[in-house]
Amino acid sequence: GWLLRLLDTVGRAPGLLQQPAALRSMEADLMQRIAAAVRFPPDETQTARSPVSGRGSHSRALSRALDFVQAVDTVDLSIPVLCEATRVGQRTLEYAFRETFDLSPSGFLRLRHLHAARSRLMAADRSNVAVVDIAYQEGFYHLGRFAALYRRTFGELPSQTLKRPCPRLRDLMTAPPLRVAKPGLKPLV
């Protein structure tokens, strides 16, 4: 059913296939659904260890993960890449994010993309930008789910955010960088 809905979505919006972030998101969803459908026998080494035993390693893993997320474009980021960058397994990363944020790593990244989409919608010139463009660029390929998640998170639809852009935010995002005064000089006004 999911695959048929995806094919229907792509048939109605073929431009979706031109957005690398949306394609990566589709691929991640597909891999997650395949992994959920295939059940592997439990690994005795993993089940014998308690998730509480590695709290120190969890905080170190989380710290490395957050540093990495700050340094890269998260649209291209997948959980396996994040695990490789933090030098921990997916389970350890999952524990670290759940202990701190009560979110999975993918939930954390999705929330980050939602906030990025909101910032872009607020700063956008509505005559030149559509919600669908920003959603695709942030990796959301199912527009109905994007709108529902956006509304649940921010209390309004993305189109409502786009209709009332924040001019000050747009000015800040397009302004040249601030200059810093040298010691002993008067501050720049």
Side-chain angles (χ1 to χ4, degrees):
W2 172 82
L3 186 55
L4 290 174
R5 286 189 302 276
L6 176 63
L7 291 172
D8 184 52
T9 300
V10 169
R12 283 186 275 121
L16 177 64
L17 297 176
Q18 303 300 319
Q19 298 293 330
L23 288 173
R24 280 187 289 283
S25 184
M26 284 184 234
E27 179 184 8
D29 277 358
L30 178 62
M31 296 307 293
Q32 187 175 19
R33 288 174 186 274
I34 289 171
V38 177
R39 299 189 190 272
F40 295 102
D43 182 4
E44 287 76 23
T45 60
Q46 293 293 333
T47 56
R49 197 177 63 183
S50 166
V52 178
S53 65
R55 289 203 191 270
S57 66
H58 293 172
S59 64
R60 286 189 301 276
L62 181 67
S63 178
R64 286 193 305 263
L66 294 176
D67 289 345
F68 186 74
V69 165
Q70 291 285 342
V72 299
D73 180 13
T74 58
V75 172
D76 296 330
L77 188 59
S78 67
I79 301 305
V81 169
L82 187 57
C83 289
E84 185 178 319
T86 57
R87 301 180 306 277
V88 296
Q90 189 167 347
R91 182 173 283 184
T92 301
L93 197 62
E94 179 86 19
Y95 286 138
F97 273 87
R98 289 213 182 266
E99 287 170 3
T100 305
F101 301 114
D102 198 26
L103 288 169
S104 67
S106 59
F108 176 85
L109 292 174
R110 186 174 26 256
L111 188 60
R112 193 172 159 89
H113 288 289
L114 271 175
H115 280 277
R118 181 171 177 82
S119 294
R120 292 177 69 184
L121 286 167
M122 291 173 74
D125 177 10
R126 68 179 177 190
S127 63
N128 295 334
V129 176
V131 171
V132 65
D133 298 330
I134 292 175
Y136 288 166
Q137 291 165 2
E138 287 300 327
F140 296 99
Y141 64 89
H142 192 288
L143 299 177
R145 287 193 197 123
F146 168 69
L149 184 58
Y150 189 95
R151 184 176 197 161
R152 195 169 45 245
T153 305
F154 301 115
E156 66 181 1
L157 291 171
S159 58
Q160 292 170 316
T161 303
L162 185 60
K163 284 179 184 173
R164 54 170 191 74
C166 177
R168 291 191 65 217
L169 181 61
R170 183 175 40 241
D171 293 343
L172 286 173
M173 291 180 79
T174 59
L178 295 174
R179 296 184 324 188
V180 179
K182 294 182 181 177
L185 297 177
K186 291 182 180 178
L188 297 173
V189 183

PDB file of all heavy atoms in Angstrom, residues 72-88:
ATOM      1  N   VAL A  72      27.352  19.413   9.073  1.00  0.00           N
ATOM      2  CA  VAL A  72      27.010  18.959   7.729  1.00  0.00           C
ATOM      3  C   VAL A  72      25.598  19.400   7.356  1.00  0.00           C
ATOM      4  O   VAL A  72      24.813  19.812   8.201  1.00  0.00           O
ATOM      5  CB  VAL A  72      27.095  17.411   7.604  1.00  0.00           C
ATOM      6  CG1 VAL A  72      28.497  16.925   7.880  1.00  0.00           C
ATOM      7  CG2 VAL A  72      26.089  16.726   8.488  1.00  0.00           C
ATOM      8  N   ASP A  73      25.307  19.277   6.080  1.00  0.00           N
ATOM      9  CA  ASP A  73      23.961  19.534   5.586  1.00  0.00           C
ATOM     10  C   ASP A  73      23.123  18.308   5.919  1.00  0.00           C
ATOM     11  O   ASP A  73      23.356  17.225   5.384  1.00  0.00           O
ATOM     12  CB  ASP A  73      24.004  19.766   4.081  1.00  0.00           C
ATOM     13  CG  ASP A  73      22.644  20.045   3.492  1.00  0.00           C
ATOM     14  OD1 ASP A  73      21.690  20.296   4.258  1.00  0.00           O
ATOM     15  OD2 ASP A  73      22.533  20.013   2.246  1.00  0.00           O
ATOM     16  N   THR A  74      22.150  18.465   6.805  1.00  0.00           N
ATOM     17  CA  THR A  74      21.383  17.311   7.280  1.00  0.00           C
ATOM     18  C   THR A  74      20.418  16.761   6.244  1.00  0.00           C
ATOM     19  O   THR A  74      19.879  15.681   6.433  1.00  0.00           O
ATOM     20  CB  THR A  74      20.603  17.650   8.568  1.00  0.00           C
ATOM     21  OG1 THR A  74      19.745  18.747   8.317  1.00  0.00           O
ATOM     22  CG2 THR A  74      21.538  17.945   9.708  1.00  0.00           C
ATOM     23  N   VAL A  75      20.199  17.468   5.152  1.00  0.00           N
ATOM     24  CA  VAL A  75      19.336  16.939   4.101  1.00  0.00           C
ATOM     25  C   VAL A  75      19.972  15.683   3.519  1.00  0.00           C
ATOM     26  O   VAL A  75      19.281  14.752   3.137  1.00  0.00           O
ATOM     27  CB  VAL A  75      19.080  18.006   3.017  1.00  0.00           C
ATOM     28  CG1 VAL A  75      18.362  17.423   1.826  1.00  0.00           C
ATOM     29  CG2 VAL A  75      18.274  19.149   3.602  1.00  0.00           C
ATOM     30  N   ASP A  76      21.287  15.639   3.464  1.00  0.00           N
ATOM     31  CA  ASP A  76      22.006  14.487   2.925  1.00  0.00           C
ATOM     32  C   ASP A  76      22.325  13.437   3.977  1.00  0.00           C
ATOM     33  O   ASP A  76      22.958  12.434   3.677  1.00  0.00           O
ATOM     34  CB  ASP A  76      23.332  14.941   2.297  1.00  0.00           C
ATOM     35  CG  ASP A  76      23.099  15.852   1.107  1.00  0.00           C
ATOM     36  OD1 ASP A  76      22.069  15.693   0.437  1.00  0.00           O
ATOM     37  OD2 ASP A  76      23.947  16.719   0.860  1.00  0.00           O
ATOM     38  N   LEU A  77      21.917  13.647   5.203  1.00  0.00           N
ATOM     39  CA  LEU A  77      22.336  12.797   6.310  1.00  0.00           C
ATOM     40  C   LEU A  77      21.398  11.616   6.504  1.00  0.00           C
ATOM     41  O   LEU A  77      20.187  11.776   6.549  1.00  0.00           O
ATOM     42  CB  LEU A  77      22.396  13.634   7.596  1.00  0.00           C
ATOM     43  CG  LEU A  77      22.989  12.975   8.821  1.00  0.00           C
ATOM     44  CD1 LEU A  77      24.421  12.532   8.570  1.00  0.00           C
ATOM     45  CD2 LEU A  77      22.953  13.943   9.983  1.00  0.00           C
ATOM     46  N   SER A  78      21.984  10.430   6.638  1.00  0.00           N
ATOM     47  CA  SER A  78      21.210   9.234   6.963  1.00  0.00           C
ATOM     48  C   SER A  78      21.697   8.710   8.315  1.00  0.00           C
ATOM     49  O   SER A  78      22.778   9.061   8.779  1.00  0.00           O
ATOM     50  CB  SER A  78      21.385   8.168   5.881  1.00  0.00           C
ATOM     51  OG  SER A  78      22.722   7.683   5.891  1.00  0.00           O
ATOM     52  N   ILE A  79      20.912   7.872   8.931  1.00  0.00           N
ATOM     53  CA  ILE A  79      21.279   7.325  10.239  1.00  0.00           C
ATOM     54  C   ILE A  79      22.552   6.474  10.146  1.00  0.00           C
ATOM     55  O   ILE A  79      23.434   6.616  11.001  1.00  0.00           O
ATOM     56  CB  ILE A  79      20.101   6.536  10.859  1.00  0.00           C
ATOM     57  CG1 ILE A  79      18.874   7.448  11.010  1.00  0.00           C
ATOM     58  CG2 ILE A  79      20.492   5.924  12.200  1.00  0.00           C
ATOM     59  CD1 ILE A  79      19.112   8.728  11.793  1.00  0.00           C
ATOM     60  N   PRO A  80      22.726   5.612   9.132  1.00  0.00           N
ATOM     61  CA  PRO A  80      23.998   4.885   9.035  1.00  0.00           C
ATOM     62  C   PRO A  80      25.218   5.799   8.922  1.00  0.00           C
ATOM     63  O   PRO A  80      26.265   5.531   9.515  1.00  0.00           O
ATOM     64  CB  PRO A  80      23.827   4.026   7.774  1.00  0.00           C
ATOM     65  CG  PRO A  80      22.357   3.826   7.661  1.00  0.00           C
ATOM     66  CD  PRO A  80      21.751   5.105   8.159  1.00  0.00           C
ATOM     67  N   VAL A  81      25.091   6.898   8.198  1.00  0.00           N
ATOM     68  CA  VAL A  81      26.203   7.854   8.078  1.00  0.00           C
ATOM     69  C   VAL A  81      26.463   8.503   9.442  1.00  0.00           C
ATOM     70  O   VAL A  81      27.613   8.681   9.850  1.00  0.00           O
ATOM     71  CB  VAL A  81      25.901   8.920   7.000  1.00  0.00           C
ATOM     72  CG1 VAL A  81      26.902  10.055   7.044  1.00  0.00           C
ATOM     73  CG2 VAL A  81      25.866   8.287   5.623  1.00  0.00           C
ATOM     74  N   LEU A  82      25.418   8.846  10.160  1.00  0.00           N
ATOM     75  CA  LEU A  82      25.563   9.435  11.490  1.00  0.00           C
ATOM     76  C   LEU A  82      26.220   8.442  12.446  1.00  0.00           C
ATOM     77  O   LEU A  82      27.088   8.823  13.240  1.00  0.00           O
ATOM     78  CB  LEU A  82      24.196   9.879  12.022  1.00  0.00           C
ATOM     79  CG  LEU A  82      24.171  10.665  13.323  1.00  0.00           C
ATOM     80  CD1 LEU A  82      25.025  11.932  13.224  1.00  0.00           C
ATOM     81  CD2 LEU A  82      22.734  11.029  13.683  1.00  0.00           C
ATOM     82  N   CYS A  83      25.847   7.179  12.358  1.00  0.00           N
ATOM     83  CA  CYS A  83      26.474   6.144  13.199  1.00  0.00           C
ATOM     84  C   CYS A  83      27.963   6.008  12.881  1.00  0.00           C
ATOM     85  O   CYS A  83      28.790   5.906  13.784  1.00  0.00           O
ATOM     86  CB  CYS A  83      25.781   4.797  13.001  1.00  0.00           C
ATOM     87  SG  CYS A  83      24.130   4.717  13.688  1.00  0.00           S
ATOM     88  N   GLU A  84      28.280   6.028  11.605  1.00  0.00           N
ATOM     89  CA  GLU A  84      29.682   5.920  11.197  1.00  0.00           C
ATOM     90  C   GLU A  84      30.484   7.124  11.685  1.00  0.00           C
ATOM     91  O   GLU A  84      31.608   6.990  12.167  1.00  0.00           O
ATOM     92  CB  GLU A  84      29.760   5.805   9.671  1.00  0.00           C
ATOM     93  CG  GLU A  84      31.164   5.578   9.157  1.00  0.00           C
ATOM     94  CD  GLU A  84      31.172   5.433   7.643  1.00  0.00           C
ATOM     95  OE1 GLU A  84      30.274   4.780   7.092  1.00  0.00           O
ATOM     96  OE2 GLU A  84      32.107   5.992   7.021  1.00  0.00           O
ATOM     97  N   ALA A  85      29.907   8.303  11.584  1.00  0.00           N
ATOM     98  CA  ALA A  85      30.603   9.515  12.008  1.00  0.00           C
ATOM     99  C   ALA A  85      30.812   9.558  13.518  1.00  0.00           C
ATOM    100  O   ALA A  85      31.813  10.110  13.987  1.00  0.00           O
ATOM    101  CB  ALA A  85      29.821  10.748  11.567  1.00  0.00           C
ATOM    102  N   THR A  86      29.892   8.997  14.270  1.00  0.00           N
ATOM    103  CA  THR A  86      30.011   9.015  15.736  1.00  0.00           C
ATOM    104  C   THR A  86      30.700   7.770  16.277  1.00  0.00           C
ATOM    105  O   THR A  86      30.913   7.666  17.479  1.00  0.00           O
ATOM    106  CB  THR A  86      28.621   9.146  16.389  1.00  0.00           C
ATOM    107  OG1 THR A  86      27.789   8.078  15.947  1.00  0.00           O
ATOM    108  CG2 THR A  86      27.987  10.480  16.049  1.00  0.00           C
ATOM    109  N   ARG A  87      30.994   6.829  15.387  1.00  0.00           N
ATOM    110  CA  ARG A  87      31.687   5.593  15.749  1.00  0.00           C
ATOM    111  C   ARG A  87      30.921   4.766  16.780  1.00  0.00           C
ATOM    112  O   ARG A  87      31.514   4.184  17.694  1.00  0.00           O
ATOM    113  CB  ARG A  87      33.105   5.886  16.232  1.00  0.00           C
ATOM    114  CG  ARG A  87      33.964   6.602  15.198  1.00  0.00           C
ATOM    115  CD  ARG A  87      35.366   6.908  15.666  1.00  0.00           C
ATOM    116  NE  ARG A  87      35.491   7.632  16.905  1.00  0.00           N
ATOM    117  CZ  ARG A  87      35.399   8.960  17.048  1.00  0.00           C
ATOM    118  NH1 ARG A  87      35.177   9.707  16.000  1.00  0.00           N
ATOM    119  NH2 ARG A  87      35.551   9.534  18.214  1.00  0.00           N
ATOM    120  N   VAL A  88      29.600   4.731  16.644  1.00  0.00           N
ATOM    121  CA  VAL A  88      28.759   3.896  17.502  1.00  0.00           C
ATOM    122  C   VAL A  88      27.716   3.196  16.634  1.00  0.00           C
ATOM    123  O   VAL A  88      27.470   3.594  15.504  1.00  0.00           O
ATOM    124  CB  VAL A  88      28.033   4.708  18.606  1.00  0.00           C
ATOM    125  CG1 VAL A  88      29.024   5.335  19.564  1.00  0.00           C
ATOM    126  CG2 VAL A  88      27.107   5.746  18.025  1.00  0.00           C
TER     127      VAL A  88
END
